[in-house]
Amino acid sequence: MTDTKIELLGSSLTELQALCAQEGLPKFAAKQICDWLYAKHVDSMDAMTNLSLKARARLEEIASIGRHDPINCMVSKDGTKKYLFEVASSTDGTQQYVETVFIPDGDRGTLCVSCQMGCKMGCRFCVTGQQGFHGNLSAADILNQIFSIPEFDRLTNIVYMGMGEPMDNLDNVLASIAVLTSDWGLGWSPHRITVSSVGIVPGLKRFLDESQCHVAVSLHNPYPAERLTIMPMQKAYPIAQVLALLKQYDWHGQRRISFEYTMFRGLNDDLKHAAELVRLLKGLFCRVNLIRFHSSPNTPYQTSSPKAMDQFCQYLNDHGIICTIRASRGEDIMAACGLLAGQNRQNN
Ligand code: SF4
């Protein structure tokens, strides 16, 4: 939003202590503000009733909570919901939008959040990638997608797999994760959070060192030359370099590494690709998620047949790699493809 006030959402306890010191508020007020923001997730300063009236008035002057309701929601026939949020304007002044997808599944409620307005990575099969990059989301913008949906209390898992590349906005992604996992925040286990990446090696290394969240690397093709045709970042950070980094970490504990493999008919769904994948992932305790490609406008790619996907999955499982075919959710609302955000940007 264009508000120049500080957004409290996304602030750490330490940052709030510094703010309180600067404004002459008692140190314990910082913990009280954290409780209101995160444990009680209030959306107004007035609701912080154990702060003095004077403290609340001063906070109103200099800060906002940073909460904004979604402006649109599409509901799939399978219960998946795609929310659209307005976010800060990009540097060229145009209003930007991001998508957030809620996926209910029995007792589980997974939320897929966006971390950037658009994306620089340019993956050829991705609608967001084709729309270019319009700016980073702040930690407040990332957390608002979580705190401002009606299903907040039903969330069991968060995946950073929406619009954008998390390792390209790492400070804000880590700040949002700190709120989710710290005892002054929501106190979630980091193992309820999965962060995806195309494999930006320096960012991924920092993320692996500074967080315990699960990691999902977008692989999509085991052959470097073929991968390059759909993922330009293969040039800067070849998959072999990404795997060499991942192999330096222990994946036998609670933290998991998985590889996302979207299946494209005739491009990467042959058993020779499965065999090469087995060779590439040798020595890494991991799992592979096969994803059915959701056809979208302006992409020449097609979905693999169910038979090809089954055979590919069976091959990996037979050769010691845990592989599952990810259930397709929200296809009728084009969940998490960035189309809705792009259409809104064009209409404004
Ligand atoms: Fe960016 Fe992910 Fe789309 Fe690639 S698939 S362009 S990393 S949003």
Side-chain angles (χ1 to χ4, degrees), residues 116 118-130 161-166 196-198 218 220 230-233 336-337:
Q116 292 183 311
C119 187
K120 294 177 201 159
M121 302 301 122
C123 302
R124 304 272 185 252
F125 52 85
C126 170
V127 174
T128 301
Q130 301 314 304
M161 294 185 179
M163 299 168 69
E165 159 62 42
S196 73
S197 177
V198 292
S218 304
H220 307 314
I230 54 168
M231 297 180 71
M233 282 313 284
C337 75

Side-chain angles (χ1 to χ4, degrees), residues 226-333:
E226 291 183 16
R227 188 169 185 261
L228 185 59
T229 64
I230 54 168
M231 297 180 71
M233 282 313 284
Q234 164 71 22
K235 187 162 188 200
Y237 299 111
I239 191 64
Q241 212 177 312
V242 179
L243 292 171
L245 172 72
L246 294 171
K247 286 177 184 176
Q248 293 170 21
Y249 292 79
D250 178 16
W251 299 101
H252 287 85
Q254 279 188 296
R255 184 189 220 183
R256 281 204 309 257
I257 174 76
S258 57
F259 294 92
E260 306 293 297
Y261 196 98
T262 305
M263 301 282 286
F264 303 106
R265 182 179 305 180
L267 281 186
N268 65 354
D269 59 355
D270 194 276
L271 286 186
K272 77 171 187 193
H273 290 94
E276 181 61 10
L277 203 48
V278 169
R279 195 191 68 75
L280 211 57
L281 299 180
K282 197 163 185 254
L284 192 58
F285 184 70
C286 63
R287 60 189 68 209
V288 171
N289 295 316
L290 300 184
I291 302 160
R292 212 167 81 78
F293 178 60
H294 289 197
S295 296
S296 55
N298 306 323
T299 57
Y301 307 108
Q302 290 179 336
T303 311
S304 291
S305 69
K307 188 175 169 202
M309 290 187 73
D310 285 343
Q311 285 175 344
F312 202 98
C313 185
Q314 188 68 48
Y315 186 97
L316 292 185
N317 280 311
D318 288 348
H319 290 79
I321 293 178
I322 305 161
C323 180
T324 47
I325 298 175
R326 178 92 60 73
S328 188
R329 300 293 304 266
E331 193 159 2
D332 53 329
I333 56 168

Side-chain angles (χ1 to χ4, degrees), residues 71-269:
I71 59 163
N72 194 357
C73 175
M74 292 171 75
V75 184
S76 161
K77 56 182 189 260
D78 68 15
T80 300
K81 289 183 178 175
K82 177 154 79 171
Y83 289 103
L84 188 71
F85 286 94
E86 270 183 349
V87 287
S89 304
S90 65
T91 40
D92 67 5
T94 49
Q95 178 64 56
Q96 297 295 315
Y97 303 87
V98 293
E99 295 175 6
T100 309
V101 179
F102 173 68
I103 308 155
D105 184 13
D107 291 345
R108 280 169 73 97
T110 301
L111 193 71
C112 177
V113 296
S114 295
C115 66
Q116 292 183 311
M117 309 168 214
C119 187
K120 294 177 201 159
M121 302 301 122
C123 302
R124 304 272 185 252
F125 52 85
C126 170
V127 174
T128 301
Q130 301 314 304
Q131 290 169 2
F133 176 71
H134 303 280
N136 281 326
L137 296 192
S138 64
D141 282 332
I142 296 171
L143 289 166
N144 182 57
Q145 298 167 64
I146 300 167
F147 280 70
S148 292
I149 58 162
E151 295 83 7
F152 174 81
D153 290 324
R154 290 170 59 193
L155 296 177
T156 58
N157 298 79
I158 306 282
V159 296
Y160 287 69
M161 294 185 179
M163 299 168 69
E165 159 62 42
M167 304 307 150
D168 191 43
N169 184 19
L170 196 46
D171 287 341
N172 292 333
V173 165
L174 286 170
S176 68
I177 288 172
V179 168
L180 297 176
T181 57
S182 297
D183 52 7
W184 47 260
L186 294 187
W188 276 30
S189 159
H191 303 125
R192 291 167 66 181
I193 301 166
T194 302
V195 178
S196 73
S197 177
V198 292
I200 298 179
V201 172
L204 192 55
K205 177 166 182 1
R206 183 177 156 211
F207 183 78
L208 291 169
D209 292 338
E210 294 185 20
S211 127
Q212 279 302 312
C213 298
H214 299 317
V215 177
V217 169
S218 304
L219 206 157
H220 307 314
N221 200 309
Y223 293 111
E226 291 183 16
R227 188 169 185 261
L228 185 59
T229 64
I230 54 168
M231 297 180 71
M233 282 313 284
Q234 164 71 22
K235 187 162 188 200
Y237 299 111
I239 191 64
Q241 212 177 312
V242 179
L243 292 171
L245 172 72
L246 294 171
K247 286 177 184 176
Q248 293 170 21
Y249 292 79
D250 178 16
W251 299 101
H252 287 85
Q254 279 188 296
R255 184 189 220 183
R256 281 204 309 257
I257 174 76
S258 57
F259 294 92
E260 306 293 297
Y261 196 98
T262 305
M263 301 282 286
F264 303 106
R265 182 179 305 180
L267 281 186
N268 65 354
D269 59 355

